[in-house]
Amino acid sequence: MASTQAGAGIGIANLPNQRHAIASKKGSALTMMIAGESGLGKTTFINTLFTTTIKAPKNHKRRFNKTTEKTVEIEIIRAELEEKQFNVKLSVIDTPGFGDYTNNRDSWMPIIDFIDDQHESYMRQDQQPKRQELSDMRVHCCLYFIRPTGHTLKPLDIEVMKRLGTRVNLIPVIAKADTMTPTDLHKFKKRILEVIAAQNIQCYTFPLESDDEASTKRNMSIMAAMPFSIIGSTEDVVTGDGRTVKGRQYSWGVAEVENEDHCDFKKLRQLLIRTHMLDLIHSTEETHYENYRHAQMETRKIGEPKVKTVTNPKWKEEEEALRKRFTEQVRLEENRFRSWEQQLIAERDRLNKDLEAEHSHIKALEAELESMQVGLSPKRK
Ligand SMILES: Nc1nc2c(ncn2[C@@H]2O[C@H](COP(=O)(O)OP(=O)(O)OP(=O)(O)O)[C@@H](O)[C@H]2O)c(=O)[nH]1
């Protein structure tokens, strides 16, 4: 696996030039999450990103190049990027696709919970007296994959994006851009942006103005590309003019991953791991984590554990079913006891009657005995 970034480097050396020079000697850690409906190429995208950003692995720590089977649970893929003494620990969280079920809430709720749980875990560690080695898996950005329908955002997309946007730096992405013509793609992007504005969905934004003109221009061009259209592929294919590129081969030609006329993969990668990595980390800390902390502090005392409300509707349904089963069981048992009680009462009555009959019988015998005794006793004169 060769780096396609050979000349430009992977860009980590550019980190000191970024707006927030917070990179320490220890390096930075970037955690990105990939979410969206099933089968949109999320896992393929991760592999594509890694094959084009990471040099051949030198040790077992780097774990990537996943097979593209259906993702069924949240998976974390880690890699280390290193360039000119800058070390970036990259974690990519692949999430199960949703949208396959009648009740789709079941599938996207764990994603939201995962983001909240990372904030919670960091906050709890932060409140401890000893805070040297905080483990931090807070999600710095979430790429939300949109199906290339050519129409508009679906209600499910809107629902999930709204929730994600208030928790994390949300970056909308149009999947499988090679399945749309440039004109349709352009119209689709416009409609998506209209829905995002109308529905008040919070997406990641960054300051466009920079110290130098070139950076400002670059920022504007990246921002103008949102929502980023992408093509995912780890395959090397040969173009009509003889170049070997990462792309998807069709009878009509090649859809190239890194060709800016074909999709925005390059711009997205530039934003994520070159130009705005530190801004993503910083805004997570300053905005999303602070929002979470603030909301929790209003309702809880320091050190108090979070009351886990049962937010997952699947659990709610299970709880409901369990409650019904329990009530039914109690009702059956009560009926059983009641009929048992009836039987006991009937048995008691029967025994009482028998006892009474025995009593009467004994009394009759006693009376008989008495009269016999009277008959036998010697007559007095
Ligand atoms: N045309 C086209 N197909 C793609 C692209 N990216 C991925 N695919 C194909 O789409 C299919 C699904 O890809 P995955 O990466 O498994 O999709 P996923 O979103 O991770 O799927 P889940 O794990 O089920 O959520 C595979 O057959 C890929 O080869 C793309 O950019 N264009």
Side-chain angles (χ1 to χ4, degrees):
M1 191 179 354
S3 168
T4 55
Q5 293 281 296
I10 53 173
I12 309 301
N14 291 330
L15 291 182
N17 304 329
Q18 295 189 21
R19 285 183 72 83
H20 310 284
I22 58 163
S24 66
K25 273 182 194 157
K26 280 165 90 185
S28 303
L30 182 82
T31 304
M32 64 173 95
M33 178 183 252
I34 318 285
E37 278 186 51
S38 287
L40 289 185
K42 298 185 289 298
T43 311
T44 310
F45 169 79
I46 296 171
N47 288 337
T48 312
L49 186 71
F50 280 177
T51 39
T52 64
T53 55
I54 295 172
K55 294 165 196 166
K58 280 189 204 128
N59 58 41
H60 307 298
K61 264 201 222 157
R62 291 169 179 169
R63 190 166 69 84
F64 54 91
N65 219 357
K66 298 177 61 201
T67 49
T68 49
E69 284 157 11
K70 202 176 169 107
T71 314
V72 288
E73 57 182 26
I74 288 176
E75 289 172 28
I76 302 170
I77 307 117
R78 293 174 207 275
E80 274 180 36
L81 312 182
E82 201 183 310
E83 192 183 289
K84 293 186 188 161
Q85 293 168 353
F86 267 89
N87 187 4
V88 175
K89 289 195 175 75
L90 181 64
S91 304
V92 182
I93 301 160
D94 196 5
T95 61
F98 44 77
D100 297 344
Y101 308 99
T102 353
N103 185 359
N104 287 309
R105 291 197 77 204
D106 292 0
S107 39
W108 56 257
M109 214 60 186
I111 298 171
I112 303 284
D113 283 347
F114 183 89
I115 296 171
D116 285 349
D117 287 351
Q118 304 321 308
H119 282 315
E120 174 68 19
S121 151
Y122 190 83
M123 190 180 80
R124 301 271 295 160
Q125 294 176 68
D126 203 24
Q127 289 169 349
Q128 302 306 314
K130 280 193 176 176
R131 301 183 305 168
Q132 276 110 0
E133 281 288 317
L134 302 194
S135 102
D136 185 5
M137 270 297 284
R138 289 174 297 174
V139 182
H140 299 118
C141 65
C142 175
L143 306 189
Y144 185 81
F145 275 52
I146 300 165
R147 192 176 289 281
T149 57
H151 305 298
T152 183
L153 285 181
K154 295 202 272 183
L156 177 65
D157 292 324
I158 296 171
E159 195 179 348
V160 184
M161 286 172 81
K162 267 189 176 172
R163 285 180 167 77
L164 286 170
T166 54
R167 291 173 161 82
V168 69
N169 289 319
L170 172 67
I171 301 178
V173 163
I174 299 174
K176 302 186 180 180
D178 53 319
T179 60
M180 295 182 85
T181 66
T183 326
D184 288 346
L185 191 62
H186 182 72
K187 283 188 202 152
F188 190 40
K189 274 193 178 188
K190 208 165 149 261
R191 282 198 211 113
I192 291 172
L193 288 176
E194 281 165 8
V195 177
I196 284 175
Q199 295 287 339
N200 218 357
I201 296 170
Q202 289 176 38
C203 290
Y204 173 59
T205 52
F206 46 84
L208 296 177
E209 295 291 328
S210 190
D211 298 341
D212 61 297
E213 213 177 297
S215 305
T216 308
K217 236 173 121 183
R218 180 207 60 209
N219 287 350
M220 284 172 139
S221 113
I222 292 178
M223 190 60 104
M226 262 211 231
F228 300 94
S229 60
I230 52 157
I231 298 169
S233 171
T234 49
E235 300 288 311
D236 282 329
V237 289
V238 182
T239 60
D241 54 6
R243 287 173 297 124
T244 302
V245 294
K246 293 269 179 268
R248 303 186 81 89
Q249 185 103 50
Y250 292 101
S251 53
W252 46 262
V254 167
E256 297 174 38
V257 170
E258 298 206 33
N259 187 331
E260 299 213 42
D261 291 334
H262 294 191
C263 72
D264 306 314
F265 176 84
K266 248 176 125 172
K267 286 200 181 83
L268 178 59
R269 185 184 58 196
Q270 188 176 24
L271 173 141
L272 292 174
I273 56 168
R274 192 174 292 173
T275 54
H276 288 82
M277 182 189 268
L278 290 181
D279 189 61
L280 288 167
I281 296 172
H282 218 60
S283 52
T284 300
E285 176 79 36
E286 283 182 349
T287 311
H288 298 295
Y289 174 64
E290 271 314 306
N291 286 347
Y292 180 85
R293 215 173 62 88
H294 191 84
Q296 297 305 315
M297 289 290 106
E298 274 185 348
T299 53
R300 285 155 60 188
K301 292 193 196 91
I302 286 187
E304 201 173 82
K306 187 180 182 183
V307 183
K308 256 278 199 229
T309 45
V310 183
T311 44
N312 190 332
K314 199 173 176 181
W315 298 337
K316 266 218 162 114
E317 275 169 26
E318 276 173 16
E319 191 190 331
E320 198 52 43
L322 212 68
R323 188 171 294 135
K324 265 193 185 155
R325 237 187 12 246
F326 178 74
T327 321
E328 180 63 11
Q329 200 77 26
V330 169
R331 199 180 59 79
L332 287 175
E333 283 299 297
E334 269 179 4
N335 283 349
R336 204 164 65 85
F337 277 121
R338 216 163 280 143
S339 81
W340 196 29
E341 195 183 11
Q342 296 296 333
Q343 277 177 17
L344 284 177
I345 291 171
E347 184 66 9
R348 189 193 63 192
D349 290 351
R350 192 185 62 75
L351 287 174
N352 278 347
K353 268 191 193 138
D354 282 359
L355 203 65
E356 257 173 48
E358 287 301 319
H359 264 296
S360 322
H361 187 59
I362 290 169
K363 266 197 182 143
L365 285 176
E366 275 175 357
E368 202 178 320
L369 188 69
E370 211 170 292
S371 69
M372 279 168 76
Q373 277 173 346
V374 170
L376 283 177
S377 63
K379 284 185 185 157
R380 287 188 193 157
K381 289 195 179 162

